[in-house]
Amino acid sequence: MSDAIRLGGRFQELAENVERFVRGKPEVVRLALVCLLAQGHLLIEDVPGVAKTSLAKAIARSIGGATVKRIQFTPDLLPSDVTGVQVYDQGRGRFEFRPGPVFAHVLLGDEINRAAPKTQSALLEVMAEGQVTVDGEARAVPDPFLCIATQNPIEHQGTYALPEAQLDRFLMRIAIGYPADTTDEVTIIGDGVARRRPEELRPVLELDELRLMITAVRKTHLSAELQNYVAMITRATRTHPDVRLGVSPRGSIALAVAAQAYAVSTGREFVTADDVKAVAVPVLGHRLLLTAEARIGRHRPESIIGEVLAEVPVPGMERR
């Protein structure tokens, strides 16, 4: 058995373990775990009560040795409540650093848009560089590090919209949605009645194995043709008539890396055009700024990405 197939099998075991608690959402679980392999961050934008918090906890509990911390964002939350603070120890006569909740393998930021912009910005450094700087000293957070942030799209009172610079730090933005059918919802109700919690899940993957999978993502072959395909997709967003601001080169890199991670999740050592298409909407949708006319017409970034994917020729197809 090749290493790629073995890693794909281990990924499937991890996904199935998470799905024991997050019912009926296999593609949502796959995308969340692809974010983890790609060392990216995930923004879940959905209504309350659809298992956003449970998804983050289920991922952390499925990985042996992983730590999970939770931040409930509120308007009075301070940046030091997120990153940590220096506290004076009278007995030792010196300041000591008390680490904040960002020092974890999985960080859940609940309702991130309820915090003031100054507190939101405390996450920018750690999401981009895997470290926080307090009083001029940089401190690394655990590796790997995944930030899963949630926000409610239907409630705007007392919230602060995430600026584009922070949205761009998230590798993907997804929605979980309501259960697809009655059977899934009945199972969810049964879990609730039985008081099942994601903390009950057993680990199926150790941290060292996860690090091996992350290393495999970096080595996954992305051909020159597919790199050009990624560039053509992102460039097409910049000239679309409904788009005021298209995807940046950082978004191009994000699409390529997410496609590599998606390939590893399926047990392959190389990326295909289908991998790129599979992650294009969650990776690129939140990076588009639409024109006023498009917003009035209720156009969605997801539909624009769909149009771009339909128009950009797939490598090899144009020669057939």
Side-chain angles (χ1 to χ4, degrees), residues 19 25-32 262 278:
E19 288 169 35
K25 297 294 178 180
E27 192 54 31
V28 170
V29 170
R30 176 174 291 274
L31 289 173
Y262 199 90

Side-chain angles (χ1 to χ4, degrees), residues 36 79 82 156 171 220 229 249 286:
L36 180 62
V82 176
H156 301 289
L171 183 71
T220 301
Y229 180 54
H286 60 292

Side-chain angles (χ1 to χ4, degrees), residues 167-168 170-174 229-238 243 245-258 276-290 300-306 308-309 312:
L167 279 175
D168 207 37
F170 289 99
L171 183 71
M172 294 184 186
R173 181 183 65 181
I174 63 173
Y229 180 54
V230 168
M232 289 174 65
I233 290 172
T234 54
R235 289 178 67 84
T237 66
R238 301 168 198 165
V243 176
L245 186 65
V247 178
S248 69
R250 180 188 290 165
S252 301
I253 296 171
L255 181 57
V257 172
V276 177
K277 291 180 178 181
V279 296
V281 169
V283 170
L284 303 182
H286 60 292
R287 304 174 195 271
L288 299 182
L289 288 182
L290 305 189
R300 299 280 299 166
E302 294 81 1
S303 63
I304 292 172
I305 299 298
V308 167
L309 291 176
V312 174

Side-chain angles (χ1 to χ4, degrees), residues 121-272:
S121 66
L123 286 172
L124 289 177
E125 181 186 10
V126 69
M127 290 173 67
E129 302 176 29
Q131 66 176 33
V132 294
T133 302
V134 178
D135 290 344
E137 184 176 346
R139 293 176 170 84
V141 298
D143 179 40
F145 172 73
L146 171 66
C147 175
I148 301 179
T150 70
Q151 63 177 2
N152 184 344
I154 62 171
E155 191 174 352
H156 301 289
Q157 186 174 359
T159 62
Y160 303 85
L162 296 179
E164 283 70 28
Q166 186 159 354
L167 279 175
D168 207 37
R169 293 294 199 279
F170 289 99
L171 183 71
M172 294 184 186
R173 181 183 65 181
I174 63 173
I176 295 179
Y178 291 124
D181 54 46
T182 305
T183 303
D184 288 333
E185 189 147 7
V186 169
T187 304
I188 292 169
I189 293 172
D191 288 343
V193 170
R195 306 299 194 269
R196 288 190 68 235
R197 298 171 59 83
E199 288 82 358
E200 298 172 13
L201 291 175
R202 63 179 180 85
V204 296
L205 195 73
E206 294 300 319
L207 274 173
D208 286 343
E209 291 181 280
L210 177 59
R211 294 186 181 106
L212 286 176
M213 296 175 76
I214 290 171
T215 301
V217 169
R218 296 171 183 167
K219 296 178 179 178
T220 301
H221 180 64
L222 181 65
S223 68
E225 279 189 329
L226 283 176
Q227 291 180 39
N228 185 63
Y229 180 54
V230 168
M232 289 174 65
I233 290 172
T234 54
R235 289 178 67 84
T237 66
R238 301 168 198 165
T239 57
H240 193 284
D242 290 335
V243 176
R244 178 163 60 90
L245 186 65
V247 178
S248 69
R250 180 188 290 165
S252 301
I253 296 171
L255 181 57
V257 172
Q260 285 179 303
Y262 199 90
V264 169
S265 77
T266 59
R268 280 183 282 106
E269 297 176 337
F270 58 90
V271 178
T272 68

